[in-house]
Amino acid sequence: MIQAYRYKILPDAQQKVVLSNFFGCARFIYNWGLNIKTKEYETSKKSVSYNQLAKELTQIKKEERYSWLNDVPAVCLQQSLRNLETAFSNFFKKGAKYPQKKKKRKCKDSVKFINSVYFDFNKWMIKLPKTGWVSLCKNRMFDINSCKTGTCTVSRDACGEYWCSIVVDDKHLAPMKAKLEKDNAVGIDLGIKDYAILSDGIKFPNPKYLERTKRKLTWIQRSFARKTKGSKNREKQKIRLLRYYRRVTNQRVDYLHKVSTEIVRNYNTICIEDLNVDGMMKNHKLARSIQSASWSEFRRMLEYKSEWYGKNLLVIGRFEPSSKTCNKCGYIKKDLTLKDREWICPVCGEHHDRDVNAARNILDMSFVK
């Protein structure tokens, strides 16, 4: 199975300069390739492939004015072009936005290495090309001898701290999928008041980490706005604000991991609804709460953890009336609104908790042939 491991790294002052140079060159090559592809299409209506860009990259590195590109490992620049190719594939196939130029201080600083990094967990060090050995903060280990390492991404976050993510294949086969049975299946309805409501009545509360820290964040933001632009105090306050946001993000991700792991371990089949998050975000009264809930991230966790544990994940369509349908008789209450947290079916008289009823309908709709 393929898994990713993430470590915080502690480069010294000289290594930080080297990595900053890597980030800048990778960003330059991405913009360079984007400019070539855009101009070629505007003039001749033809696309430029990755192989053509890679050949041109080899040529420009021989020019004196671009000699500084030779200070960066060639694989980092090639990976920037591959990232560009992926961005265009997402644009044509998945409806993503047209790739935009990466601007300094406004894009994530990162570079990728392939099969060229070495780990030493005895000393907790990592060796990066043209950078040397860099200290690692202790975290989970993997077997260096039996596992095959893949892409290694080194990045710098907005707070100025450095991270390393490594893709590892432990050469173990994924477990067999469990049998599709309704007896050991669960439907999940995602919400704002309660984060996840299961069809058996279990509810996971929504901790609302961002909302709970709203007053503190407002105070820090106001203090940041009062600082003189360009001053050191303003930069310090900016770092403080970014660290606070990162803390909220870490709390949310930790909670989602705990909830998703508990659900995947306890049920063989998990049924969820394909939510139109972009459309729901247009409701400005709920947009902040929906964004804070990170439903898409929760679904992503369920998807890959289901593969790890050999469980099934079923997804029903986003247009199914899961909340408005009576789970007992099938009556659809078309005038149900978001304010109605409970309702009584006018046909069979069944009293419904809106969210539990929706979760049960998601379970039933997933097993309809």
Side-chain angles (χ1 to χ4, degrees), residues 37-92:
K37 289 174 77 71
T38 303
K39 285 186 176 180
E40 183 66 23
Y41 183 78
E42 289 175 350
T43 55
S44 62
K45 300 298 180 180
K46 294 181 180 179
S47 63
V48 182
S49 66
Y50 162 78
N51 292 333
Q52 292 174 301
L53 288 176
K55 290 179 181 179
E56 289 193 37
L57 174 61
T58 304
Q59 296 301 319
I60 68 167
K61 288 173 66 176
K62 298 177 181 179
E63 299 179 16
E64 185 176 354
R65 58 175 178 165
Y66 294 120
S67 59
W68 42 273
L69 289 174
N70 295 297
D71 297 334
V72 182
V75 66
C76 295
L77 306 181
Q78 293 166 357
Q79 283 300 308
S80 288
L81 295 179
R82 289 193 177 96
N83 292 341
L84 178 63
E85 196 71 16
T86 301
F88 271 98
S89 297
N90 293 336
F91 169 69
F92 288 113

Side-chain angles (χ1 to χ4, degrees), residues 180-181 185-186 188 269-274 299 306 311-316 362-363 365-368:
L180 274 173
E181 294 178 337
V186 66
I188 305 176
T269 304
I270 302 161
C271 309
I272 60 175
E273 186 178 11
D274 183 21
R299 174 176 171 174
S306 297
K311 305 301 177 70
N312 304 293
L313 183 67
L314 306 180
V315 183
I316 69 169
I362 291 172
L363 174 61
M365 292 173 182
S366 299
F367 281 87
V368 173

Side-chain angles (χ1 to χ4, degrees), residues 178-351:
K179 188 177 180 180
L180 274 173
E181 294 178 337
K182 194 174 181 180
D183 293 338
N184 198 5
V186 66
I188 305 176
D189 180 59
L190 299 179
I192 295 177
K193 182 181 178 181
D194 293 304
Y195 190 85
I197 302 90
L198 308 189
S199 55
D200 54 9
I202 298 176
K203 296 184 178 181
F204 292 94
N206 187 357
K208 297 183 179 181
Y209 293 112
L210 183 61
E211 290 82 350
R212 283 162 50 183
T213 59
K214 185 177 179 180
R215 291 183 62 185
K216 182 72 172 180
L217 282 171
T218 301
W219 181 84
I220 298 176
Q221 287 171 334
R222 287 177 179 174
S223 178
F224 170 71
R226 287 195 294 265
K227 298 291 188 292
T228 305
K229 291 186 177 180
S231 65
K232 291 184 178 180
N233 285 334
R234 182 181 175 89
E235 190 64 24
K236 290 179 182 178
Q237 194 68 9
K238 178 184 176 181
I239 297 298
R240 183 182 180 187
L241 178 62
L242 292 171
R243 285 178 177 172
Y244 209 83
Y245 270 114
R246 186 178 64 182
R247 179 187 175 189
V248 173
T249 301
N250 291 340
Q251 288 175 327
R252 182 192 303 121
V253 171
D254 177 69
Y255 181 73
L256 297 186
H257 273 300
K258 291 176 180 176
V259 173
S260 59
T261 300
E262 182 176 344
I263 292 174
V264 171
R265 283 179 175 174
N266 293 333
Y267 302 94
N268 287 341
T269 304
I270 302 161
C271 309
I272 60 175
E273 186 178 11
D274 183 21
L275 296 174
N276 182 15
V277 178
D278 291 337
M280 298 170 72
M281 288 286 289
K282 294 179 181 179
N283 185 340
H284 299 298
K285 294 182 179 180
L286 299 176
R288 184 184 181 91
S289 299
I290 293 173
Q291 186 178 24
S292 175
S294 296
W295 291 332
S296 299
E297 178 64 15
F298 182 70
R299 174 176 171 174
R300 189 185 71 87
M301 290 181 180
L302 289 176
E303 287 175 349
Y304 72 76
K305 289 182 181 181
S306 297
E307 296 294 328
W308 288 358
Y309 290 90
K311 305 301 177 70
N312 304 293
L313 183 67
L314 306 180
V315 183
I316 69 169
R318 61 180 60 176
F319 299 110
E320 298 289 348
S322 57
S323 298
K324 298 181 179 182
T325 303
C326 174
N327 181 255
K328 188 174 182 180
C329 68
Y331 170 78
I332 298 177
K333 186 175 176 60
K334 296 182 179 180
D335 59 346
L336 191 71
T337 64
L338 288 174
K339 294 181 180 179
D340 302 324
R341 307 314 304 172
E342 297 180 357
W343 59 284
I344 298 176
C345 178
V347 176
C348 64
E350 183 75 10
H351 180 271

